[in-house]
């Protein structure tokens, strides 16, 4: 042992001893490093990607809008609004009219629901319309030409020069539309886009009552949006709102896109943090196992003159260096993973996303992971300071590894809690969500710990001597001195809890979009049917040997007053309603029955009523609007039904299964009230197969070009594509959690190897067979694994219910079969892992084992 002139051990000797000892134990230290790799990789990948995304949003801010200012409305702009436009002093302007309609391709004899944009002017001024061939535009064309989205060209094998019939007019395809500023690839999944000159829109005869139309006006300013222009927009905001005209500037569009992307980044960050948290749980177990085998070494060093601090420093250096190595490997893996994420999420982005590495975010995430892992490692590391020299002489009588009431251990616990809380607050939308996240983790630890303690107490109190020897030994191992029951229950239960909570939250979120069509339900819908076309549409469906399910009227209306108050007055009264529910245009219906797929939650559904009664009309309201407007039975609602004011009273609440592909309505009026109101109709039908659907669509659209159709099979295919992409991202992040969860499982079970080795020595010496020892360990691991898995999954049910209900605001879904199977699987994995980590203990000869101990 090297020393200075005063006889004290030199500082360099500590580093040399740390290196020499680590060389012989590199496999065990590598397991410690692996515990941190996947969690750090997830954090690095997401943080670098998020920073990359934010920078690109800032850089391409103007291209998100394509203009400096955009106005939009469901109705043609009034003269008063046009006066505001004229007062803006724009250098250039453009406009388009967007509507959903059917198109017919005569050459291939196919029809398709599309989103038609009738364009006029020089839009876009920022970014560019990407076409094939390049440089094409329809806005100023004097011929009836059309640009068709590239996916649509490919799907129907369309060629340049083909004819497209939109409404009553034919257009010639001059090229493919590849990308339009501000729109994502997903935007065209359900209704691909076609661009036509605005001057030919009237020729299509599509602008009829009930058509889903959006009018847009774009402006370009040489100086951009100035402070004076912002003030002018603020001064006219109330007037524009009264005219149902919305407007977007680059800053507002940037804020909206940024908020959406921030929510996505936060969710992925929390997923990565869960992976890191599980990895740190594995770290605590791996370090404890490693240090338990080093207690005699520490005691021997103390006997040879090393101080407590020097002995402690040797292992601090090893643990910190190993953690840093794991963080660096995780950082490199995260950089690689970052290149995978954009491939999946880019269809949801309104711009191209070049991949670049945000090195500052990479190093910050690596540093966070390293410090966080080191804090967990400190929990088993700190007791090394208390190992006395006498431990070398009393190895069989002193564990030497008790933390007791060490104040530093509690400081470490507080440090872990503070870092967890800080991360949660930084990655949740509201402060309450951050505190709830941490409170949930702490509550889970406490519940699991109590469960382990109760199990240990019950086994000690009610242990029966009538049980077979193997069972008595296996059960008593769970409450004897130095047992690991509480520790294993917490570690294993937390792994199951975190992994299954992530899975259930994903299932509830994705199931919301998992729309289905029953075999006896409609598979095609025709909408925007005029009143005088209903009989003709039904006749065509019946002649095609298809079945007309239902024909439902749709009446558009807007909410004017709630309980006699405007939206602003309600807000001023302190009631926090959701503004969208007050401002939106409602497409309501009327009928004298409640559908079989609707559930009456409260009140009574009124079948018929009359405007002549002079009393408010009783209506049924869907639960989402009930929650958004905080409605109660008996509340009054004044509606503007296309110029006619109708006073209503809330008579019942309904729950609608929005996953069913059929027309659903927020507001249902009784029969006898709206029959004379201007309405369009939607007809649900069932055709025999996809070809029959296509033939039916073609025949109806050719005869009634204003009628649009939704092919549910095609919609479900498109929806499945989107859900699969979202699901892949979530499952990809979950894979990091699962990988670290397996490491934590292995780490938790190997912590018992030290104690099992001692007990096996005694049992083998007393005559126990190898088979008996293995059965004893099997009983122990099976019972702990079962308790931990059941507790963890029950906690995950509570946690994921809270997340689905209060954060995602979706229906909570539990796959009970898989849940029960997961309990069994987690218990089985604990058993197998425990036995695998105990290999070599049970079958060693007693004499060899005694000498080894």
């Amino acid at each position: 042992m090297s020393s200075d002139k005063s006889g004290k051990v030199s500082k360099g000797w500590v580093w040399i001893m740390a290196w020499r000892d680590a060389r012989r134990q590199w496999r065990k230290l590598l397991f410690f490093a692996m515990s941190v790799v996947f969690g750090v990789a997830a954090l690095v990948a997401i943080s670098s990607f998020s920073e990359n995304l934010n920078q690109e949003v800032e850089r391409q801010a103007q291209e998100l809008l394509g203009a400096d200012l955009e106005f939009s409305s469901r109705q043609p702009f009034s003269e008063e609004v046009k006066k505001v436009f004229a007062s803006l002093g724009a250098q250039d302007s453009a406009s388009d009219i967007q509507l959903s309609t059917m198109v017919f391709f005569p050459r291939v004899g196919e029809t398709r629901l599309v989103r038609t944009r009738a364009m006029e002017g020089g839009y876009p001024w920022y970014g560019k319309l990407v076409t094939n061939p390049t440089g094409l535009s329809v806005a100023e064309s004097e011929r009836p030409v059309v640009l068709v989205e590239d996916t649509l060209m490919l799907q129907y094998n369309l060629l340049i020069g083909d004819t497209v019939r939109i409404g009553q007019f034919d257009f010639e395809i001059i090229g493919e539309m590849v990308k339009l500023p501000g729109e994502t690839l997903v935007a065209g999944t359900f209704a691909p886009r076609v661009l036509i000159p605005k001057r030919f829109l009237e020729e299509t005869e599509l602008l009829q009552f009930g058509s889903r139309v959006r009018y847009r006006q774009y402006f370009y300013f040489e100086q951009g949006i100035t402070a004076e222009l912002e003030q002018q927009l603020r001064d006219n905001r109330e007037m524009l709102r009264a005219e149902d005209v919305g407007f977007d500037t680059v800053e507002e569009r940037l804020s909206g896109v940024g908020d959406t992307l921030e929510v996505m980044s936060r969710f992925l960050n929390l997923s990565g943090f869960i992976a890191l948290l599980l990895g740190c749980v594995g770290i605590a177990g791996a370090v404890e196992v490693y240090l338990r085998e080093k207690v005699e070494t520490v005691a021997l060093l103390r006997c040879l003159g090393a101080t407590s601090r020097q002995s402690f420093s040797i292992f601090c250096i090893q643990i910190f260096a190993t953690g840093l190595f794991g963080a660096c490997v995780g950082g490199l893996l995260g950089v690689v993973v970052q290149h995978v994420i954009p491939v999946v999420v880019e269809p949801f982005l309104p711009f191209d996303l070049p991949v670049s590495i945000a090195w500052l975010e990479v190093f910050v995430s690596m540093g966070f992971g390293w410090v966080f892992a080191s804090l967990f490692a400190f929990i088993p590391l700190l007791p090394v300071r208390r190992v006395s020299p006498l431990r070398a002489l009393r190895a069989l009588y002193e564990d030497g590894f008790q933390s007791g009431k060490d104040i530093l251990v509690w400081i470490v616990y507080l440090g872990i809690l503070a870092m967890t809380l800080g991360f949660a607050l930084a990655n949740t939308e509201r402060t309450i969500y951050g505190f709830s996240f941490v409170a949930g983790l702490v509550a889970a630890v406490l519940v699991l710990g109590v469960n382990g303690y109760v199990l240990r107490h019950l086994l000690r109190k009610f242990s029966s001597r009538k049980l077979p020897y193997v069972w008595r030994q296996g059960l008593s191992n769970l409450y004897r001195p130095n047992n690991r029951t509480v520790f294993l229950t917490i570690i294993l239960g937390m792994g199951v809890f975190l992994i299954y909570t992530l899975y259930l939250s994903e299932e509830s979120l994705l199931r919301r979009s998992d729309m289905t069509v029953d075999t006896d339900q409609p598979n095609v819908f025709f909408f925007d049917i005029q009143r005088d076309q209903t009989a003709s549409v039904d006749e065509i469906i019946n002649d095609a040997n298809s079945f007309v399910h239902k024909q439902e009227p749709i009446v558009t209306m807007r909410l004017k007053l709630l309980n006699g108050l405007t939206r602003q007055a309600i807000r001023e009264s302190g009631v926090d309603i959701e503004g969208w529910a007050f401002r939106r245009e409602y497409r309501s219906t009327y009928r004298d029955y409640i559908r079989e797929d609707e559930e009456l939650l409260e009140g009574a559904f009124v079948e018929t009523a009359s405007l002549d009664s002079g009393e408010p009309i009783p209506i049924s309201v869907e639960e989402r609007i009930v929650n958004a407007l905080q409605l109660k039975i008996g509340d009054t609602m004044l509606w503007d039904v296309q110029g006619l004011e109708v006073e209503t009273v809330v008579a019942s609440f309904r729950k609608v299964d929005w996953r069913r592909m059929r027309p659903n309505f927020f507001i249902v009026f009784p029969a006898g009230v709206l029959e004379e109101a201007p309405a369009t109709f939607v007809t649900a039908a069932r055709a025999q197969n996809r070809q029959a659907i296509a033939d039916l669509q073609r025949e109806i659209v050719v005869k009634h070009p204003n009628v649009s159709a939704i092919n549910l099979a095609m919609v479900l295919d498109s929806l499945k594509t989107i859900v699969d992409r979202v699901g892949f991202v979530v499952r990809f992040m979950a894979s990091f959690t699962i990988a670290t969860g397996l490491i934590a499982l292995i780490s938790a079970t190997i912590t018992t190897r030290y104690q099992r080795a001692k007990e096996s020595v005694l049992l083998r010496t007393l005559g126990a067979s190898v088979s008996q020892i293995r059965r004893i360990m099997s009983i122990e691991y099976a019972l702990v694994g079962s308790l931990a898995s059941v507790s963890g999954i029950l906690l995950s049910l509570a946690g994921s219910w809270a997340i689905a209900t209060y954060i995602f605001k979706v229906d909570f879904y539990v796959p009970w079969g898989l849940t029960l199977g997961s309990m069994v699987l987690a218990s089985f994995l604990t058993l197998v892992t425990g036995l695998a980590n105990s290999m070599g203990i049970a079958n060693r000869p007693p004499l060899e084992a005694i000498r080894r101990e």
Side-chain angles (χ1 to χ4, degrees), residues 682-699:
V682 57
T683 294
R686 181 166 187 84
Q688 296 175 357
N689 50 48
R690 293 199 178 202
Q691 185 58 50
I693 293 175
D695 294 341
L696 189 58
Q697 285 184 181
R698 180 170 56 253
E699 188 172 354

Side-chain angles (χ1 to χ4, degrees), residues 7 143 202 253 400 552 708:
R143 297 189 300 116
E202 288 188 7
R253 179 66 61 87
E552 299 194 71
S708 298

Side-chain angles (χ1 to χ4, degrees), residues 89-397:
Q91 273 65 49
D92 200 359
S93 66
S95 64
D96 73 24
I97 299 177
Q98 302 180 25
L99 68 160
S100 296
T101 184
M102 298 297 291
V103 295
F104 175 57
F105 309 115
R107 184 177 66 81
V108 295
E110 297 285 353
T111 60
R112 181 70 160 90
L113 178 68
V114 300
R115 185 151 53 95
T116 301
R117 294 187 63 165
M119 306 185 71
E120 181 181 69
Y123 176 87
W125 296 279
Y126 305 107
K128 64 179 181 178
L129 171 63
V130 181
T131 63
N132 183 27
T134 59
L136 297 177
S137 175
V138 299
E140 303 302 328
S141 176
E142 297 182 358
R143 297 189 300 116
V145 296
V146 61
L147 284 170
V148 179
E149 189 164 346
D150 53 350
T151 57
L152 197 59
M153 295 281 286
L154 182 63
Q155 181 181 1
Y156 291 100
N157 194 26
L158 303 178
L159 303 174
I160 293 177
D162 281 353
T163 297
V164 177
R165 186 170 301 160
I166 304 176
Q168 303 281 6
F169 203 69
D170 290 344
F171 294 81
E172 178 190 348
I173 298 177
I174 60 172
E176 300 176 345
M177 192 279 289
V178 179
K179 193 170 182 63
L180 195 62
E183 294 197 353
T184 67
L185 294 177
V186 171
T189 300
F190 295 106
R193 295 151 291 186
V194 298
L195 311 182
I196 63 173
K198 184 179 176 182
R199 68 182 64 187
F200 293 102
L201 182 59
E202 288 188 7
E203 305 291 339
T204 65
E205 300 182 16
L206 290 175
L207 294 179
Q208 302 183 16
F209 170 76
S211 299
R212 294 165 228 270
V213 183
R214 172 73 68 177
Y215 297 84
R216 296 184 188 273
Q217 190 77 26
Y218 305 95
F219 293 98
Y220 167 73
F221 300 90
E222 191 172 321
Q223 303 298 324
I225 302 296
T226 62
E228 292 78 12
L229 183 56
E230 287 182 349
Q231 183 60 48
Q232 190 175 352
L233 291 172
R234 284 194 293 269
D235 292 342
N236 288 284
R237 185 184 295 273
E238 290 303 320
M239 185 276 293
L240 292 171
R241 185 171 291 173
E243 294 281 343
D244 293 324
V245 176
F247 65 86
D248 252 354
T249 64
V250 173
E251 289 298 321
E252 289 177 335
R253 179 66 61 87
L254 178 63
S255 175
V257 172
D259 290 344
T260 301
L261 298 179
E262 186 178 3
V263 170
M264 179 184 69
S265 298
R266 285 174 173 175
F267 174 76
L268 295 177
N269 260 325
L270 286 175
S271 300
F273 180 73
I274 288 175
L276 178 63
L277 185 61
L278 278 177
C280 290
V281 168
I283 285 167
V287 172
E288 180 171 6
V289 171
Y290 176 70
L291 293 177
R292 276 185 176 276
E293 298 178 358
K294 294 294 179 181
V295 173
E296 286 81 4
T297 302
V298 174
L300 184 59
L301 289 173
R302 295 296 311 280
C303 290
L304 296 176
T307 64
S308 173
R309 177 180 296 179
Q310 289 166 338
S311 302
F312 178 69
S313 298
I314 292 173
F315 298 104
C316 278
I317 292 170
Q318 290 181 354
I319 299 305
F320 285 169
T322 306
L324 182 59
F325 173 75
C328 290
V329 173
L332 292 175
L333 179 60
V335 169
V336 173
V337 170
Q338 183 194 346
H339 288 73
V340 177
I341 299 176
V343 176
V344 181
V345 302
E346 196 162 17
F348 299 93
L349 303 178
F351 48 77
D352 294 326
L353 181 65
V355 178
S356 62
I357 301 171
W359 288 109
L360 178 61
E361 298 298 322
V362 169
F363 288 124
V364 167
S365 297
M366 289 169 57
F368 178 86
W370 180 42
V371 173
F372 199 58
S374 298
L375 284 175
F376 273 85
F378 254 108
I379 296 173
L381 183 60
L382 285 172
V384 171
R385 299 163 24 255
R386 296 175 173 268
V387 175
S388 67
L390 289 178
R391 175 69 172 83
L393 303 177
R394 299 191 304 208
L396 294 177
Y397 304 99

Side-chain angles (χ1 to χ4, degrees), residues 391-418:
R391 175 69 172 83
L393 303 177
R394 299 191 304 208
L396 294 177
Y397 304 99
E398 278 191 9
D399 190 344
F401 214 72
Q402 302 296 325
S403 59
K405 298 181 179 180
D406 195 336
I407 188 63
L408 289 181
V409 172
W410 290 102
I411 292 176
V412 170
Y413 284 136
L414 290 176
I416 292 172
L417 186 63

Side-chain angles (χ1 to χ4, degrees), residues 490-615:
I490 293 175
I491 300 301
L492 298 177
M494 283 298 293
V496 173
F497 164 62
L498 293 174
I499 292 175
Y500 207 66
T501 297
L502 185 64
Y503 172 78
L504 287 179
S505 300
E506 173 204 343
E507 283 295 303
S508 296
L509 189 60
L510 296 183
R511 188 175 172 83
R512 180 182 183 180
S513 302
D514 184 20
M515 297 183 178
T516 57
V517 180
D518 297 334
T519 55
D520 61 340
Q521 293 300 310
N523 55 13
V524 61
F525 288 96
F526 298 95
F527 55 94
D528 290 343
I529 304 172
Q530 302 301 308
R531 192 181 295 273
D532 60 354
Q533 296 173 329
T534 56
S536 175
V537 169
D538 287 354
E539 182 180 355
I540 294 173
I541 295 173
N542 289 324
D543 289 346
N545 293 322
S546 297
F547 176 67
V548 178
H549 267 254
K550 282 186 176 65
Q551 191 178 83
E552 299 194 71
I554 298 177
V555 180
T556 57
M557 60 186 68
R558 287 187 177 275
L559 178 60
K560 289 191 67 175
L561 300 175
L562 174 59
N563 291 324
L565 300 176
T566 64
R567 172 174 170 268
Q568 185 63 31
I570 293 173
R571 285 289 180 88
E572 291 174 355
S573 68
V575 180
D576 186 19
I577 64 171
E578 298 184 26
W580 65 269
F582 211 106
R583 294 192 304 267
R584 77 185 310 275
E585 181 180 69
Y586 285 83
R587 294 177 179 267
S588 306
T589 193
Y590 53 88
R591 46 180 148 88
D592 58 1
Y593 60 91
I594 186 168
R595 286 194 326 217
E596 69 280 357
D597 61 322
E598 297 176 328
E599 179 185 352
L600 188 64
L601 300 178
E602 188 177 344
F605 184 87
V606 178
E607 297 178 354
T608 60
S610 173
L611 287 173
D612 298 334
S613 67
E615 298 294 327

Side-chain angles (χ1 to χ4, degrees), residues 742-763:
L742 291 174
I743 292 175
L745 172 62
I746 296 171
S747 171
T749 53
I750 64 175
T751 58
T752 62
R753 181 182 176 93
Y754 180 83
Q755 187 66 24
R756 296 293 81 78
K758 288 183 176 181
E759 294 169 357
S760 296
V761 167
L762 295 175
L763 291 173

